[in-house]
Structure formats: structure tokens, C-alpha cells
Amino acid sequence: MTSSFAARPRLSILDLAPITPGQTAASSFENSVALARAAERHGYERVWYAEHHNMATIASSATSVLIGYVAGRTSTIRLGSGGIMLPNHAPLAIAEQFGTLATMYPGRIDLGLGRAPGSDQVTMRAMRRDPSSADRFPDDVLELQGYLSGESRVPGVQATPGAGTDVPLYILGSSMFGARLAAAFGLPYAFASHFSPGLLHQAVALYRREFTPSAQLASPYVIAGVNVIAAASTDAAQLQFERTRRNLVRGFIARSAGDAQYPDDQIDAFLTTPEGAQIASMLRYTAVGTPDQVRDYLTSFADEAQADELIIAHQSMQIDDRLESVALTAGAVLGVSV
């Protein structure tokens, strides 16, 4: 029996706003604009940006600012956070930021929420984050929701702008906690299977089983993360994937080894070790190949993950390759070509 999830999944993009070797944050922002414009042309649902801190290769730390910049240079594509790490912030401040965005760009703004720090322990202290703040995540989500609906849970406090904008909320996660919370609150659930694949199937099954309808959402809605490298030939896609995987490993090594440089042969040797294999396993859900190969992988993945929508991290290191992957994937899966 064929599941309804296998037909034609909706596609979105997770833009990691990478600062690749030889580039600057400024060039990364221009690449994000180009990627969002391509997504708009090719029929993607939305583009999301993730909050990360103290990472030299990621430029999306001021997530709401980046969303506003890209929104001002696009026309119709939905834009949002994938996600805002809510324990890093006061819910009122996030309500005001995203209420401002929704007022400027009505009907185009999403607010995905996570409870991880998006950084390491030292950076958490630099951000003045309380180590126990993640424990308040469910209450913070409800407080934030109240500000955006105009039904504040804090007497005498309203979000301006924000109140009455009803910016849609999404719960992000890679564990059973997020799945259970999204189900209890009746919110869409986005699983970070593009880098943390382990509990995808268990978490989605729990979410669908325990989902309770809400004012925002009548039935469960699952977004699953997946990596894609689509190119004109299998060999070209595989070469890009090998470069991407090496870059991922270098990033993890750099966190502990500082500025040491590692040539490709040393990275490839490290990938044969248990530690290297563990890092590489983060890319378990990755479609690599020609448009037809990518389409077959994504439709099968959406079916197995019971996903209504796939949010794709086009992982090629060069922006031209990412833009080609965006176009080829949309043409193969959505039937949209420009």
C-alpha cells in the first residue's frame, strides 16, 4: 500500500548562511538573497534561517535581522526561523521582533522555535543564558504565543508590534521532547534530520499519535530536514558531496584544534575512524545525484518519514552550485522550471 506522503512533498529551504573559505559575512548575506529569490522562482514554500552563535562559518546569528533583509529583497516567499533558540531570549523581545517583521511583510513570516543554545557552554555564558532556561521552554512558548495572539499571559504587557499578528509557530527538535511538546500544543513539528537523524521515525510517530488540535492547526503537520546536492551528473554531485563532508569534519576538528589546517588526505583518513564516521553519520539523510536520482530519494524519504514537507539544506559549498541544486530539485520534484 502506498502512503499519501509519497506523492509530491512540499519543498522548502534551510539556508545555513555559510561563510565558506575566502568569503565574508557580507557575501554570505548576498548569497542568502540569491538563494531566496531562486526559491521564490522555483516554487519552494519557505526559506528558514537558524540561530547560531560564535561559529566562524555561519552568518545567521542575528536571525530576525537577516530575515528582514531578505524579505525586503524578495516578494512572495515565506521566510522564518529554523529556528530561534527561545531560551536565549525574552519571549516579549521575540514577539516584538517577529511582530515587526509580520507587520512589514504580512503573510510571509514564520517563527520556528528550539530550546538548544545554538552554541557551546562558554558562548552560553557570554550570552548571559541561565543554564536552567531550557527547562522553561514550554512556558516560554505559551507566553510568546499569547503576545502574538493579543491575549497576553502577563497582565499589563502587550507586544507592540506583535499583538494580533498571529505569526505561526513551529516547534523544532531532534528528540522526543520536541515531538511531545508540539503534539500537546497542537503546533507543526519540524525534525532536524538533516544533521541529527537518529530519532526521526520515533519522534514523528509519537507526534502524530499524540497530536491535539489547536486554534493554529487542526491536524498534524510534519516538516523533515534533508540534505540535497543535485547536479547535472552523478560524478559532479558526488564530488560536491565529498567536499561538503570534508568541510563538515574540518569544522568539528577546528573547534578542538584551533586554526590547524588539515589537507584532504588527512580528513579522508580521519573519516575511516570511529570518530570520523560518527560525524559523517550526521549526513545520513542526504540526496546526492542527478535530478531524477534526487527526486526518487526525496519522495521515498518523505514517505518513510511521514513528512508533509521537506526542508532542504542544499549543501554544496559554492553558491552557484547551490543555486543549480535549488533549480534542478524543484524541476524534478515540483515540475517547476524557469
Side-chain angles (χ1 to χ4, degrees):
M1 183 168 126
T2 301
S3 163
S4 61
F5 297 103
R8 181 176 282 184
R10 296 177 177 177
L11 298 185
S12 294
I13 291 178
L14 177 65
D15 180 3
L16 300 175
I19 306 174
T20 54
Q23 288 194 325
T24 64
S27 60
S28 173
F29 298 147
E30 295 313 305
N31 291 343
S32 289
V33 170
L35 202 69
R37 286 175 171 170
E40 193 169 73
R41 289 195 306 273
H42 291 287
Y44 287 77
E45 298 285 325
R46 66 191 91 243
V47 181
W48 280 359
Y49 309 92
E51 177 187 346
H52 293 285
H53 300 282
N54 194 31
M55 294 187 182
T57 58
I58 297 179
S60 54
S61 54
T63 313
S64 60
V65 178
L66 179 57
I67 292 169
Y69 181 68
V70 177
R73 299 181 67 181
T74 51
S75 301
T76 58
I77 189 79
R78 294 192 68 90
L79 300 165
S81 59
I84 288 292
M85 301 298 106
L86 190 55
N88 292 344
H89 311 276
L92 177 61
I94 296 303
E96 291 169 342
Q97 290 173 23
F98 279 78
T100 298
L101 288 169
T103 301
M104 291 177 170
Y105 307 103
R108 295 183 58 198
I109 303 300
D110 299 328
L111 178 47
L113 302 168
R115 67 179 183 131
S119 59
D120 54 36
Q121 297 294 318
V122 174
T123 308
M124 283 177 60
R125 289 195 292 272
M127 295 177 67
R128 307 296 191 266
R129 173 167 166 161
D130 182 341
S132 65
S133 56
D135 298 339
R136 300 192 299 270
F137 182 65
D139 291 334
D140 285 349
V141 171
L142 292 175
E143 182 181 337
L144 174 58
Q145 191 175 47
Y147 291 134
L148 293 171
S149 68
E151 299 177 0
S152 175
R153 291 171 173 260
V154 181
V157 178
Q158 295 289 335
T160 306
T165 57
D166 291 308
V167 177
L169 303 184
Y170 299 75
I171 299 297
L172 279 56
S174 57
S175 70
M176 307 306 280
F177 177 91
R180 186 169 285 111
L181 184 69
F185 287 0
L187 295 174
Y189 180 50
F191 191 92
S193 36
H194 63 290
F195 78 92
S196 185
L199 294 175
L200 170 64
H201 299 291
Q202 299 96 309
V204 170
L206 183 148
Y207 168 72
R208 289 193 174 278
R209 183 173 63 248
E210 297 189 2
F211 180 83
T212 301
S214 68
Q216 178 177 326
L217 193 64
S219 57
Y221 192 86
V222 172
I223 303 174
V226 60
N227 304 292
V228 169
I229 297 177
S233 70
T234 303
D235 289 345
Q238 190 61 41
L239 181 60
Q240 291 177 35
F241 174 69
E242 290 170 2
R243 290 171 178 164
T244 295
R245 185 172 59 177
R246 289 177 184 136
N247 193 55
L248 174 70
V249 173
R250 281 194 182 94
F252 274 89
I253 294 176
R255 294 181 189 181
S256 57
D259 294 330
Q261 300 297 311
Y262 296 90
D264 287 351
D265 58 344
Q266 291 185 12
I267 295 296
D268 291 341
F270 179 72
L271 281 166
T272 66
T273 68
E275 295 84 356
Q278 184 175 7
I279 296 173
S281 71
M282 294 170 63
L283 299 175
R284 180 194 309 174
Y285 294 126
T286 302
V288 180
T290 63
D292 287 347
Q293 291 171 323
V294 167
R295 180 197 61 226
D296 292 345
Y297 184 98
L298 293 181
T299 53
S300 175
F301 173 73
D303 186 26
E304 293 175 4
Q306 296 188 26
D308 302 283
E309 180 179 330
L310 301 180
I311 189 159
I312 294 173
H314 289 279
Q315 288 281 15
S316 301
M317 292 181 62
Q318 300 302 315
I319 182 60
D320 288 344
D321 292 331
R322 291 202 297 279
L323 293 173
E324 179 183 45
S325 185
V326 166
L328 293 177
T329 302
V333 179
L334 303 177
V336 177
S337 61
V338 175

